[in-house]
């Protein structure tokens, strides 16, 4: 399978910060300035004090946040102070999914890399990742080069997300007041202006245009990074239009090309709705978690409380409504405890045998996905399918997820199949499966992306076999 992955590939610099370190940081700044910013968080970083206040605020409240860094001097401060001491790993949905696809047996995986720095490239899988060059050496020598845009000229800065993890129970001094961190969480200072604009590397764009007929699928993500307005006066709507035109162009060259759009936690409901509605007619499938499903309340009408508690009846109901009201082909919901797939069959399933056959294929793809995500959580790696199958034997099925399967069967008059269940409602088939959990996970980052990539890959393979 040949698969494109766009748009967001970055470097995660992960550092666990202590109470003593934040106390030392705070002491270097005026109390009045920091306390005012903690009381009224700016939500972005244009100075070192903004960063310190944001970190202190999150540690004080035990909450998570991600603020965009707008000043090069702050980027240099963070990189010089923390990068060498951090755990440096692949970041960005597209980057994580590309590595998963490569490790799990895809033939060729082409990621969009905004800044192909030495560090960024070193984080990619060595199996199936292919990074195209926009121009051959002969063309370069002949002086046939693209015109550089303002984005290209400012793209030398590596896209680094500085992730500051902090632990429950850490204590620090907030100018004489002792603060105890109430809950483990993280604060992210993001220096990544190209990915926030869904910047497409010219080499990636050129490859997609020239090789569209050879592609099997496109995994697209990163839309949740969009912001309302950009410094140059453009808005997220312009970026959406550009992305839509690109994807439409690629798909027009290959009507069998499957596009999956993975959503995320949007800064505003307006942006989330705009992305969903813009691409609902173009994407062959959408993916989201229960939080994101709850955000689309205005489009499906199911109250968010039951969705956030991962109640299967509510999740399936909301997913079916969202799919049918927007004429989606396929919608995939992934939670910690179970995964759920809602899809429109390509034919009228007149018999139970037909329903069972198409449901079995979808459940097989879901099973592969939950194994891969569980194994990645337990081991922090994906060393091929044989490794996944062996390590998956050590995992436990989610007990909560199994109970929700029983609730689903009762609510939708469903039937059991393989390790999960399926039902038929309003012209859509619903398939559901419990996740597989590790008792001692070594990572909780990238599990949704790993799950999505594995299900997408296996789904493409099964479509070819059908």
């Amino acid at each position: 399978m040949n698969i494109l992955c766009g748009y967001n590939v970055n470097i995660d610099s992960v550092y666990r910060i202590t109470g003593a370190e934040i106390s030392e940081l705070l002491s270097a700044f005026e109390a009045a300035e920091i306390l005012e910013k903690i009381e009224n968080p700016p939500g972005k970083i244009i100075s070192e004090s903004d960063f310190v206040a944001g970190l202190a605020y999150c540690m004080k409240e035990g909450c998570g946040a991600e603020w965009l860094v707008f000043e090069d001097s702050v980027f240099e401060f963070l990189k010089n102070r923390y990068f060498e001491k951090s755990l440096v790993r692949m970041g960005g949905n597209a980057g994580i999914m590309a590595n998963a696809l490569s490790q799990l047996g895809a033939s060729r995986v082409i990621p969009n890399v905004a800044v192909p720095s030495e560090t960024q490239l070193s984080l990619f899988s060595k199996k199936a990742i292919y990074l195209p060059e926009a121009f051959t050496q002969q063309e370069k020598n002949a002086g046939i080069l693209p015109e550089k845009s303002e984005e290209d000229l400012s793209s030398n800065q590596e896209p680094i997300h500085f992730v500051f993890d902090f632990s429950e129970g850490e204590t620090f001094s907030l100018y004489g007041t002792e603060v105890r961190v109430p809950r483990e969480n993280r604060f992210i200072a993001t220096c990544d202006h190209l990915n926030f604009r869904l910047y497409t590397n010219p080499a990636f764009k050129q490859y997609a245009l020239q090789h569209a007929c050879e592609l099997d699928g496109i995994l697209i993500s990163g839309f949740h990074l969009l912001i309302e307005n950009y410094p140059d006066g453009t808005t997220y709507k312009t970026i959406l239009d550009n992305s839509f035109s690109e994807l439409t162009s690629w798909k027009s060259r290959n009507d069998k090309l499957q596009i999956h759009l993975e959503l995320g936690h949007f800064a505003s409901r307006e942006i989330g709705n705009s992305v969903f509605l813009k691409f609902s007619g173009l994407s062959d499938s959408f993916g989201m978690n229960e939080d994101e499903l709850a955000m689309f309340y205005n489009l499906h009408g199911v109250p968010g409380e039951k969705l956030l508690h991962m109640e299967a009846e509510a999740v399936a109901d909301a997913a079916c409504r969202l799919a049918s009201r927007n004429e989606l082909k396929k919608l995939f919901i992934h939670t910690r405890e179970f995964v759920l797939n809602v899809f429109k069959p390509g034919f009228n399933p007149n018999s139970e045998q037909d329903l069972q056959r198409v449901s079995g294929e979808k459940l097989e793809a879901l099973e592969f996905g939950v194994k891969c995500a569980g194994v990645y959580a337990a081991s922090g790696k994906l060393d091929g399918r044989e490794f996944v199958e062996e390590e998956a034997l050590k995992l436990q099925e989610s007990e909560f997820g199994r109970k929700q399967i029983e609730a689903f069967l009762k609510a939708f008059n469903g039937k059991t199949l393989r390790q999960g269940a399926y039902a038929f409602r309003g012209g859509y088939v619903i398939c559901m499966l419990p996740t597989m959990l590790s008792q001692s996970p070594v990572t909780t980052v990238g599990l949704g992306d790993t799950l999505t990539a594995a299900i997408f890959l296996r789904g493409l393979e099964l479509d070819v076999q059908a």
Side-chain angles (χ1 to χ4, degrees):
M1 293 293 134
N2 297 334
I3 302 172
L4 288 180
C5 290
Y7 289 96
N8 56 328
V9 173
N10 62 262
I11 299 166
D12 277 350
S13 172
V14 185
Y15 186 79
R16 183 161 292 276
I17 194 156
T18 66
E21 287 174 301
I22 186 64
S23 295
E24 180 185 350
L25 267 177
L26 287 164
S27 67
F29 294 85
E30 291 291 332
E33 180 184 12
I34 298 295
L35 291 173
E36 194 280 327
K37 289 181 178 180
I38 290 176
E39 184 69 25
N40 299 290
K44 60 184 178 181
I45 300 173
I46 58 176
S47 65
E48 292 176 19
S49 63
D50 288 337
F51 158 70
V52 174
L55 178 58
Y57 169 77
C58 286
M59 293 180 73
K60 177 176 176 287
E61 301 297 327
C63 64
E66 181 171 8
W67 292 3
L68 183 61
V69 176
F70 284 95
E71 284 294 329
D72 289 344
S73 61
V74 181
F75 170 80
E76 295 300 331
F77 166 79
L78 292 170
K79 188 172 184 181
N80 293 336
R81 190 178 182 108
Y82 297 108
F83 192 75
E84 293 297 326
K85 300 185 291 184
S86 298
L87 168 64
V88 177
R89 66 190 181 200
M90 175 63 73
N93 307 86
I96 295 169
M97 288 192 284
N99 273 353
L101 290 167
S102 175
Q103 293 296 110
L104 293 171
S107 307
R108 173 172 282 191
V109 184
I110 307 95
N112 174 54
V113 186
V115 183
S117 68
E118 184 177 345
T119 301
Q120 182 75 83
L121 298 182
S122 72
L123 300 174
F124 278 109
S125 161
K126 303 302 185 287
K127 289 189 175 181
I129 297 293
Y130 178 77
L131 298 170
E133 291 187 22
F135 292 84
T136 66
Q137 190 60 50
Q138 183 178 0
E139 289 169 326
K140 290 176 183 177
N141 292 340
I144 306 173
L145 295 172
E147 293 183 9
K148 285 186 175 290
S149 67
E150 184 178 343
E151 285 178 335
D152 295 326
L153 294 172
S154 63
S155 64
N156 291 327
Q157 185 188 86
E158 290 182 300
I160 301 178
H161 295 210
F162 294 94
V163 182
F164 293 89
D165 288 332
F166 47 85
S167 302
E168 178 180 343
E170 286 283 344
T171 59
F172 65 94
S173 174
L174 184 60
Y175 303 109
T177 301
E178 184 178 271
V179 175
R180 181 176 295 272
V181 177
R183 179 187 171 194
E184 180 169 344
N185 220 311
R186 64 186 55 179
F187 175 68
I188 307 174
T190 297
C191 307
D192 190 2
H193 296 278
L194 293 181
N195 281 318
F196 270 73
R197 302 181 68 95
L198 301 188
Y199 171 75
T200 309
N201 188 304
F204 177 82
K205 187 183 299 186
Q206 184 184 45
Y207 183 93
L209 284 170
Q210 293 181 347
H211 299 273
C213 290
E214 304 163 20
L215 298 173
D216 298 289
I218 302 178
L219 268 174
I220 295 293
S221 55
F223 289 96
H224 61 286
L225 299 175
L226 294 174
I227 58 178
E228 297 275 359
N229 299 289
Y230 292 85
D232 64 358
T234 61
T235 72
Y236 72 91
K237 294 181 180 179
T238 300
I239 294 171
L240 283 186
D241 288 341
N242 293 339
S243 175
F244 185 84
S245 295
E246 281 183 351
L247 290 170
T248 301
S249 175
W250 301 342
K251 189 154 187 173
S252 69
R253 288 164 166 75
N254 180 356
D255 58 4
K256 295 182 180 179
L257 185 60
Q258 295 289 301
I259 297 177
H260 176 86
L261 197 156
E262 187 67 20
L263 300 176
H265 180 73
F266 286 89
S268 76
R269 178 174 291 177
E270 179 185 350
I271 297 178
N273 283 342
S274 295
V275 171
F276 180 80
L277 295 173
K278 179 81 173 179
F279 291 91
S280 60
L282 178 64
S283 294
D284 297 282
S285 58
F286 282 86
M288 65 187 77
N289 64 22
E290 70 277 11
D291 294 313
E292 292 140 23
L293 181 62
M295 182 191 66
F296 291 119
Y297 167 76
N298 62 310
L299 298 178
H300 57 65
V302 177
E305 184 177 0
K306 291 184 177 181
L307 301 178
L308 297 176
H309 286 118
M310 292 177 285
E311 296 184 18
E313 181 178 356
V315 172
D317 185 25
C320 276
R321 292 189 190 194
L322 191 60
S324 61
R325 292 178 182 181
N326 295 278
E327 299 181 343
L328 304 182
K329 299 174 186 176
K330 190 186 305 178
L331 178 60
F332 171 54
I333 311 296
H334 46 87
T335 77
R336 181 183 184 274
E337 311 293 345
F338 62 83
V339 293
L340 186 142
N341 194 354
V342 175
F343 66 97
K344 191 86 169 176
F347 59 93
N348 185 22
N350 294 316
S351 68
E352 190 62 38
Q353 186 177 5
D354 288 339
L355 276 176
Q356 191 173 95
R357 179 176 61 81
V358 297
S359 300
E361 291 175 356
K362 293 299 185 291
L363 283 167
E364 182 177 341
L366 295 182
E367 285 174 13
F368 182 60
V370 299
K371 285 180 182 178
C372 290
V375 167
Y376 186 67
S379 66
K381 57 187 178 180
L382 294 170
D383 285 345
R385 297 194 182 189
E386 185 176 340
F387 172 81
V388 168
E389 292 297 334
E390 290 177 357
E391 293 300 307
L393 298 174
K394 305 173 186 178
L395 303 175
Q396 294 181 336
E397 183 182 76
S398 164
E399 292 183 8
F400 181 87
R402 176 52 58 187
K403 289 178 181 177
Q404 289 305 308
I405 289 281
E406 299 303 320
F408 168 81
L409 288 167
K410 183 178 180 181
F412 292 91
N413 192 27
K415 292 182 170 59
T416 58
L417 181 64
R418 299 179 71 96
Q419 299 301 311
Y422 71 94
F424 186 59
R425 177 179 178 179
Y428 281 85
V429 180
I430 315 167
C431 294
M432 183 178 169
L433 188 75
T435 54
M436 302 184 77
L437 305 177
S438 169
Q439 289 184 323
S440 304
V442 300
T443 183
T444 59
V445 176
L447 301 187
D449 296 322
T450 300
L451 187 78
T452 297
I455 291 172
F456 185 67
L457 175 61
R458 189 66 187 128
L460 289 176
E461 293 170 347
L462 290 170
D463 282 343
V464 170
Q465 295 169 16

